[in-house]
Every structure is written in C-alpha cells, then in structure tokens.
Amino acid sequence: MTLSSVWSIITKILDVCILWYIVYFLLKNLKNNIKMVLIFKGVLFIVVIKILSSLLNLYAVGLILEYIIMWGPLAIIIIFQPEIRTVLEQLGRSQLLGRHKVLTSDEREKLVTEVMEAVDYLRKNKFGALIAIERDVSLQEYISPATKIYADVSSQIIESLFYPNSALHDGGVIIQGTKVTCAGCVFRTSMDNKLSKSLGTRHRAGLGLAEESDAIVLIVSEETGRISIAINSTLNYNLTPEEFKKMLYNELSPKTEIFYAADERGEKDE
C-alpha cells in the first residue's frame, strides 16, 4: 500500500466524519430548536408542492415556486437572521468531546443537597427563582454581561440571591460545576406557541435556554411556589420535591453511570 493510497483513505474517512457531524448537528438542532423546526417544515412544504406541480403540470404554481426557490435562501437569511445567528453561535459554543466538569459522587451529592435546600426554602416562601446548571454547551454569552459571583454552591447564597429585596432576584443564576458563577442573567424567552399562557416570564426564559442549550434549568414560580425543570426543550412543570430531586440527580449523573446502575438493578431483579 503506497503513501498516496493511505492518504486517500484518511481523507475519505475524514470526509465521512465531517459530513456525519454536520448531519448530526442539524438533526440535533431540528429536534431541540422550535424555530429551526418551523424553517424546516416551510422548506419541506415548498419542496413537496414543487414536486406535485411538476407531476400535475401546474404551470403557474411551478413558475411561482421557481422564483421562490431562486430567491428563497436570501429571504430566509434576511427573515430568520436571529435564528440562524443563534444556531451558528451554538455551533461555536459546542464542544465535540464535552466541556463541563464531571462531578464526583460527593460533589454531586453536595450540589443536589444545597440546591434542594434552597429550592425548598424558595418554594415555601414563594420566592421566584431561575437557576441554570451548565453542561456541554457554554453559557458564556449570558455569563459575560451578568454580575460575577464565583462562590461555592450553597443554599444560603442561592436563597440570598433570590430574596425579593435583592438587586439580582429578577435575573437568573448560572452554576458551573460546583460554583455559582454569576447572577442577574437575562435569558431569551421561548417562542413556543404551545406553552400555556398562564406561565410567566421565568418559565418562558427557562424553556428558552433549554431550547438553545443542554443546560439543566430549575424554575420556582413566584405566584404559586411550584417547581419545574426545563431540559432538552421540554418543561417538566409542577414537580413534587421528590420528582424534582430525582430528575436533577439523574441529569447530573454521567450517562455511563446511569446505564451501569440500570444493569445492576436488572441483574438483582433476575
């Protein structure tokens, strides 16, 4: 095997890997980004109509669609510029191998315990709260303009940040690893039309962040004291404290650890 043939094989493998990642990224964003889904549905609808017009010899419709296809990409760039920018920013923030600190078992236990104590206090007193725990997708865009904290996670710090008289209580808090990085964050709100109109700005902002990142977003309602978690474009609303704690712990656990635990339970059941 010559050097040129080896190089040819390497370039073909690299070509396939790059194409695979592009397809994976697009599918992931189509799944988790409502705006991208709308764009995709619109393009798919135009393609289907174009095919039908060709099969049925619909001259007028086909002519109009030709102009739409010709100028459509430019129109999409202009009309959906904010959405396209968000996707490109997300691509720039994403890391192939992940970036978040993998918590040890003790660190995870402490983080869940401190957060749960704070959430329990906030819900009982009906103090609104919005807490984002960063994972693979960087939240630096929201950290940069916010008020920096850089303190170890503790229930007292979280409670004080969301106390009604606090200057930062209306914004969100971001946790990186075992540190409260910043407070007073402003997240983009979700544009999901299916979201209940009874839900306020905190829930929409929490879901909005979950739609554009893989963060775990914890929400406490100021009106009702209900607690919710937004993950992967889904708002898990009005959870019990037990459900809330279990979901938080599972999401913070490494996936391999979850699979291993599930296998152990299966063996015991047998």
Side-chain angles (χ1 to χ4, degrees):
M1 184 177 288
T2 63
L3 185 61
S4 60
S5 61
V6 172
W7 177 249
S8 177
I9 293 172
I10 292 174
T11 55
K12 288 178 181 177
I13 293 173
L14 182 62
D15 187 26
V16 171
C17 289
I18 293 173
L19 181 61
W20 172 86
Y21 181 70
I22 292 173
V23 172
Y24 165 77
F25 179 78
L26 290 174
L27 290 177
K28 181 180 178 182
N29 279 278
L30 283 174
K31 174 185 175 184
N32 295 333
N33 194 308
I34 293 172
K35 296 173 184 177
M36 285 290 292
V37 171
L38 293 176
I39 295 174
F40 177 77
K41 286 181 178 179
V43 172
L44 186 62
F45 177 76
I46 291 174
V47 170
V48 171
I49 296 298
K50 176 61 177 175
I51 293 172
L52 289 176
S53 67
S54 299
L55 293 174
L56 301 176
N57 295 320
L58 303 177
Y59 177 76
V61 174
L63 183 62
I64 293 172
L65 287 176
E66 283 183 8
Y67 283 107
I68 292 175
I69 293 172
M70 183 185 303
W71 298 102
L74 180 60
I76 288 175
I77 292 173
I78 295 173
I79 297 172
F80 295 99
Q81 185 267 340
E83 289 75 15
I84 295 172
R85 183 185 63 187
T86 298
V87 172
L88 292 176
E89 288 175 351
Q90 184 172 330
L91 177 61
R93 293 196 303 265
S94 300
Q95 301 291 325
L96 280 174
L97 300 178
R99 64 179 305 279
H100 73 286
K101 171 182 169 60
V102 178
L103 301 175
T104 65
S105 180
D106 290 341
E107 288 174 334
R108 191 163 59 249
E109 288 283 356
K110 185 177 187 304
L111 176 60
V112 172
T113 299
E114 295 294 337
V115 169
M116 282 306 304
E117 285 184 10
V119 167
D120 196 48
Y121 171 83
L122 294 168
R123 74 176 183 85
K124 287 179 178 177
N125 290 277
K126 293 186 178 180
F127 295 159
L130 183 59
I131 306 167
I133 302 176
E134 183 188 80
R135 293 199 281 187
D136 285 341
V137 177
S138 172
L139 301 180
Q140 190 60 42
E141 172 189 357
Y142 300 105
I143 294 173
S144 296
T147 301
K148 309 304 183 294
I149 305 294
Y150 296 120
D152 290 335
V153 174
S154 71
S155 58
Q156 292 86 354
I157 287 178
I158 296 174
E159 291 166 14
S160 65
L161 289 172
F162 291 110
Y163 189 75
N165 292 329
S166 167
L168 302 172
H169 78 281
D170 279 334
V173 164
I174 292 178
I175 295 175
Q176 292 179 305
T178 58
K179 301 289 184 181
V180 176
T181 302
C182 61
C185 303
V186 178
F187 304 135
R188 285 187 284 269
T189 57
S190 172
M191 302 301 291
D192 188 353
N193 294 325
K194 297 179 182 178
L195 202 60
S196 173
K197 294 182 179 180
S198 63
L199 297 177
T201 305
R202 278 194 179 88
H203 290 86
R204 293 182 180 276
L207 182 58
L209 183 61
E211 288 172 351
E212 66 177 46
S213 75
D214 64 346
I216 306 169
V217 190
L218 318 177
I219 308 153
V220 180
S221 171
E222 186 174 2
E223 299 293 329
T224 63
R226 292 174 178 171
I227 53 179
S228 309
I229 299 181
I231 305 172
N232 298 329
S233 303
T234 301
L235 179 63
N236 303 278
Y237 180 67
N238 192 21
L239 301 172
T240 65
E242 292 75 20
E243 292 171 335
F244 189 96
K245 182 177 181 179
K246 182 179 179 181
M247 184 175 293
L248 175 59
Y249 190 88
N250 287 341
E251 290 297 327
L252 288 171
S253 300
K255 298 306 177 185
T256 53
E257 183 177 314
I258 294 174
F259 295 147
Y260 178 73
D263 291 341
E264 279 191 336
R265 285 196 300 270
E267 290 175 0
K268 289 179 181 178
D269 291 340
E270 291 175 1

